Amino acid sequence: MIYLLLSILASTFIFIIFKLFEKYNINTLQAIVINYFMACIIGLVMYDEPININTIITSKWIYGAIGLGFLFIAIFNVMALTAQRNGLSVASVASKMSVIIPIIFGIYVYNEGAGLQKIIGIVLALVSVYLSSIKSKHINEPSKSILLPILLFFGSGAIDTSIKYIETTYLPENGIPIFSATIFAFAFVIGSCILIFKALKKSLKFPLKTIVGGIALGIVNYCSIYFLLKALNHESLESSTLFTVNNVAIVMISTLLGLLLFKEHISKINWAGILLAIVSIVIVTLA
């Protein structure tokens, strides 16, 4: 249970750090690039086998790692913007509800069960993202507040689905640590190229607060994945139960911290979406 608790806390802290970036005027893209460098270094340090570059380059999963590197850098930016503009509750709901996408993928590709209960949960999840994202000032123009959460929902779902497919199709049994480190490395390289391109137009500075913020985000980002994998390896919890507790806890803690720390306004419609999100997670994962 301790690994599950640490995973929940680490995932929640990611959203909090993004809000702090806004508060202290930290360049989000720069911090995210530093974050992936830090996460890659930690992953390589934690990998207890010899690292063979040629083996990595010639592996069957290398192209998937490159594609995920693009997705990681893009969706992490979307997550940051969603947390900063829409609030912690919206960002957590949109990202956690994306678990529905790999479930749908599993139904079609791996012929997993698709009973009425699971279908109801999927529909409720989609509705919950919409309801939790709508802000009262944009109630008549929902497109202004719904775009970022929708991008985060589908982007996070695409990442989870891709990782699941590559893991089950191409990865060897002990390949997860080096695969993760490789994705972080490509995300760092892609992000660095973006920063270099920006530097051609105007000079870029890396203030100490940006470096510190990026390092902190990298540590928390890696821990969220590491502790979740450790929790999944524990025999006392079934994966469906674990994902239920994990996702519901992140949504609820993020919402409460948004209220307490950042004085976020959550309307009745938003509360309905958050509660619906919790119900949909429980329905789908226990189906």
Side-chain angles (χ1 to χ4, degrees), residues 8 10-16 18-19 75 78-100 125 128-130 132-133 135 148-150 152-153 156-157 160 243 246-259 264 266 270-271 273-275 277-278 280-281:
I8 291 168
S11 297
T12 303
F13 272 118
I14 290 175
F15 297 113
I16 293 175
F18 281 142
K19 287 291 289 187
I75 298 306
V78 172
M79 184 185 293
L81 290 173
T82 305
Q84 292 164 2
R85 297 181 184 180
N86 297 70
L88 293 181
S89 61
V90 176
S92 62
V93 168
S95 61
K96 293 299 121 183
M97 288 302 91
S98 67
V99 72
I100 302 302
S128 74
V129 174
Y130 178 79
S132 64
S133 304
K135 295 302 179 184
L148 285 173
I150 290 296
L152 178 58
F153 174 81
S156 298
D160 292 341
F243 278 117
N246 184 70
N247 289 7
V248 169
I250 292 170
V251 170
M252 291 308 300
I253 294 174
S254 298
T255 301
L256 292 175
L257 290 177
L259 288 170
E264 294 181 352
I266 301 179
N270 299 151
W271 275 117
I274 292 168
L275 294 175
I278 296 170
S280 67
I281 293 175

Side-chain angles (χ1 to χ4, degrees), residues 90-150:
V90 176
S92 62
V93 168
S95 61
K96 293 299 121 183
M97 288 302 91
S98 67
V99 72
I100 302 302
I101 295 176
I103 289 175
I104 295 174
F105 181 81
I107 292 172
Y108 282 97
V109 176
Y110 301 118
N111 296 317
E112 296 177 357
L116 179 62
Q117 182 177 340
K118 187 175 288 187
I119 293 172
I120 291 173
I122 291 171
V123 173
L124 291 180
L126 295 172
V127 175
S128 74
V129 174
Y130 178 79
L131 293 179
S132 64
S133 304
I134 294 295
K135 295 302 179 184
S136 56
K137 64 181 179 180
H138 293 145
I139 198 71
N140 295 321
E141 298 177 274
S143 61
K144 289 186 177 181
S145 60
I146 197 69
L147 179 59
L148 285 173
I150 290 296

Side-chain angles (χ1 to χ4, degrees), residues 40 46 77 139 150 200 215 234 263:
C40 176
M46 297 291 288
N77 272 285
I139 198 71
I150 290 296
L200 296 176
I215 291 173
H234 204 282
K263 310 301 180 184

